[in-house]
Amino acid sequence: MSVLRVALLIAAKDLRIERRSRTALHTATLFAVLVLLTVVFARDGGSVSLLTLAPSVLWITIALSSLVALNRAFTLEREHAALEGILLAPVPRSALFLGKWLANLAFVSLVMTITFPLWILFYGVAVTPALFAVAAVALLASIGVTAIGTVFSAMAVRTRHAELLLPVLMLPFLLPPIFFAAQSTVRLLAGRPLDELWGSFRFLLLYDVAFATMAALLFPAVVDE
Amino acid sequence: MPESGNYMIAGYIVVAVVVVGYVVNLWRRGK
Amino acid sequence: MPDAASAERQIRRGRAVTLIALLGLAVLYVMALQFTPPERTMGLVQKLYYVHPPAAYAMQLAFLTTGLCSLLYLLLRDERFDLFAEASAEVGMVMGMIVVITGPIWGRPAWGVWWAWEPRLTFTVLELLVFGGYFALRGAVRDPQERAKFAAVLGMMALVLVPFNHLTVYYFASQHPEPVALRAGKPALPFEMLRTFLTGFGVFTVLYIGLAMQRYGIGVRAAHQEVADA
């Protein structure tokens, strides 16, 4: 069985478990919406316009929600004691990583898909074709972020205070993509032409390639005894 | 700007304190 | 695992090197404060140029070493690399602290504000956060082998992050205009300043080595203790 096929099977299994209980999806989405709302209430309505904050808030929300979403992946395994089973089976570690990553990416994307329209609504973002590009940037950034998150959550779940540790480990790695993603979003919402954004896109692409590679190489070391 | 001499001294003191402090810390731990 | 006797040797040697470095630091101080002319326009505080950048460089050296040792640990599974990675990271944090404390002390008279998101300070903050996480991770894993493995994984990720942090900081800083340009003497430095500047780098290099050696020996000893306690 090819690596890709095994990976897809693993991802499908993960997502199936998710679909049966759905609590993680509901909770992660609720969390994202709450972040949106926290900023609305935390700012002074008189002096700070929501539209000015919109790009920053989008990326803060994505970053924080990703952390929540990533944590559930391995907690799930631990609860179902399924990881030991998978590790015993002759599954290539690369397939396990790929499967986990795809499941995480799907989950994070789903949360973002639900949150995105609410962001547009609450922050008064103009509905233009530029929003497709914003969504594309979100997907691009998520690829690298979830790759790193897959490795880090595999480590964090084996430690005490896992929920606290994962954000502390991940956020420093998220700052560079958040910066470039937010920059792109600001320009897109301002109607700037796409060619001004190539620098940011290239950075995000490079980041994704670098960290997806590193994550794939390092994941086996984390899960193997 | 010329009065920045005080800041200069403060900076050099900070560096000395941190370096010596860490050296002492390592010394004690190395006992 | 290096034996207990070699740990003591490392600590002793490290102390000797550190002592030399401290002497060098004293020489640097005298050179910088007494024998180097002040820069014409920036006032006396500019003299922090002889300690602030060297500390930043030492931090980078330390963190890069941690990254490399992490790679070597993962490839060779030799505990010594993990222990040196940890030692180097700790020294790096101390150097980083020097940077972020002297930064505002320099910034206040130079810029009029205590903090500015200029490249060096921003980069240092980012790196300190990554390595704070490194120690948080080490503290949260009980089993020594798992701890070494996980720390090495993070160390390698951190190594790869360095160029991205540099890139980010470069573009980020261009958005936060420095109140006053901080580049002391980027066009050719007069000889006395260059001499002192390079001495600073030399001193901090030796200081890093001495401190890391000591910390490594202490780490080896602690590892033995852990095995004994188990």
Side-chain angles (χ1 to χ4, degrees):
Chain A
M1 232 191 221
S2 82
V3 166
L4 185 58
R5 198 148 148 64
V6 177
L8 288 171
L9 282 174
I10 292 176
K13 173 198 74 76
D14 242 23
L15 294 170
R16 221 176 6 247
I17 297 179
E18 214 35 72
R19 202 168 39 157
R20 279 193 213 124
S21 75
R22 294 218 198 157
T23 21
L25 185 61
H26 291 167
T27 314
T29 311
L30 264 174
F31 178 75
V33 175
L34 284 166
V35 173
L36 289 177
L37 242 49
T38 305
V39 178
V40 173
F41 281 89
R43 105 233 184 267
D44 173 38
S47 53
V48 185
S49 93
L50 284 174
L51 196 51
T52 315
L53 289 177
S56 316
V57 173
L58 178 65
W59 288 99
I60 293 172
T61 309
I62 290 179
L64 296 179
S65 312
S66 307
L67 291 173
V68 166
L70 285 163
N71 216 12
R72 59 110 228 154
F74 279 94
T75 325
L76 205 63
E77 289 291 354
R78 190 167 53 174
E79 278 162 13
H80 295 258
L83 192 57
E84 281 80 23
I86 296 184
L87 287 173
L88 284 174
V91 171
R93 298 293 177 253
S94 49
L96 182 58
F97 170 71
L98 199 53
K100 287 283 168 203
W101 180 20
L102 287 171
N104 282 334
L105 189 55
F107 189 82
V108 168
S109 302
L110 198 50
V111 174
M112 289 194 315
T113 308
I114 301 174
T115 318
F116 200 57
L118 289 170
W119 168 74
I120 295 172
L121 186 64
F122 290 160
Y123 283 77
V125 178
V127 180
T128 64
L131 289 180
F132 283 113
V134 174
V137 172
L139 188 59
L140 191 58
S142 306
I143 291 173
V145 167
T146 47
I148 299 176
T150 303
V151 174
F152 283 7
S153 57
M155 292 199 293
V157 83
R158 284 164 175 70
T159 68
R160 19 185 170 164
H161 15 277
E163 294 79 27
L164 192 51
L165 194 61
L166 184 62
V168 167
L169 295 183
M170 282 228 59
L171 281 168
F173 286 83
L174 301 189
L175 295 178
I178 287 176
F179 174 71
F180 285 96
Q183 289 295 300
S184 314
T185 308
V186 169
R187 284 176 176 65
L188 284 167
L189 292 187
R192 308 298 305 159
L194 275 180
D195 27 82
E196 275 184 30
L197 299 159
W198 288 125
S200 293
F201 291 167
R202 261 201 321 259
F203 178 94
L204 290 172
L205 198 58
L206 193 61
Y207 180 91
D208 285 349
V209 168
F211 283 102
T213 310
M214 291 305 296
L217 289 173
L218 294 172
F219 184 81
V222 173
V223 293
D224 281 335
E225 286 308 308
Chain B
M1 198 64 93
E3 332 83 52
S4 64
N6 288 335
Y7 287 92
M8 174 195 76
I9 293 175
Y12 274 85
I13 288 178
V14 160
V15 173
V17 164
V18 172
V19 170
V20 172
Y22 187 55
V23 169
V24 167
N25 173 272
L26 285 179
W27 222 271
R28 290 226 195 98
R29 282 152 81 186
K31 280 249 160 293
Chain C
M1 156 103 83
D3 60 56
S6 86
E8 302 310 314
R9 256 199 322 273
Q10 281 295 101
I11 294 176
R12 264 200 314 271
R13 283 196 212 136
R15 283 177 174 176
V17 175
T18 306
L19 237 33
I20 296 173
L22 287 177
L23 284 171
L25 193 63
V27 167
L28 176 68
Y29 269 47
V30 171
M31 278 176 82
L33 295 169
Q34 194 63 33
F35 292 105
T36 309
E39 207 273 351
R40 243 167 326 172
T41 55
M42 286 183 254
L44 280 172
V45 77
Q46 174 272 341
K47 289 199 173 188
L48 287 175
Y49 183 60
Y50 306 115
V51 288
H52 175 90
Y57 140 81
M59 178 192 79
Q60 273 254 248
L61 178 64
F63 289 157
L64 286 173
T65 307
T66 298
L68 283 169
C69 287
S70 297
L71 172 62
L72 289 166
Y73 176 79
L74 287 172
L75 290 175
L76 302 170
R77 301 294 167 129
D78 185 334
E79 231 174 328
R80 285 177 290 185
F81 290 119
D82 173 61
L83 293 169
F84 199 79
E86 182 191 34
S88 192
E90 188 176 294
V91 179
M93 299 275 295
V94 172
M95 294 296 167
M97 287 295 162
I98 292 178
V99 175
V100 293
I101 299 177
T102 52
I105 293 177
W106 189 351
R108 175 64 176 159
W111 302 321
V113 288
W114 286 106
W115 187 267
W117 288 103
E118 59 96 28
R120 183 156 38 229
L121 284 179
T122 311
F123 181 80
T124 305
V125 170
L126 287 176
E127 291 293 310
L128 282 175
L129 289 170
V130 175
F131 282 89
Y134 179 81
F135 283 104
L137 179 60
R138 292 194 77 105
V141 182
R142 242 172 298 228
D143 175 59
Q145 268 189 319
E146 197 172 60
R147 181 193 317 143
K149 206 175 51 162
F150 285 3
V153 167
L154 184 58
M156 280 228 60
M157 290 286 209
L159 185 63
V160 172
L161 188 65
V162 169
F164 290 97
N165 274 350
H166 275 302
L167 264 172
T168 306
V169 156
Y170 177 76
Y171 286 102
F172 177 84
S174 70
Q175 284 211 324
H176 296 78
E178 268 170 34
V180 168
L182 197 57
R183 300 280 152 255
K186 256 303 143 79
L189 274 176
F191 175 69
E192 293 90 357
M193 288 183 161
L194 183 63
R195 178 184 64 186
T196 311
F197 188 61
L198 292 176
T199 307
F201 278 76
V203 167
F204 272 80
T205 305
V206 179
L207 188 59
Y208 159 74
I209 294 173
L211 294 172
M213 283 170 74
Q214 284 187 67
R215 180 56 186 82
Y216 169 70
I218 291 169
V220 172
R221 205 202 278 166
H224 276 285
Q225 194 59 44
E226 208 175 5
V227 170
D229 286 342

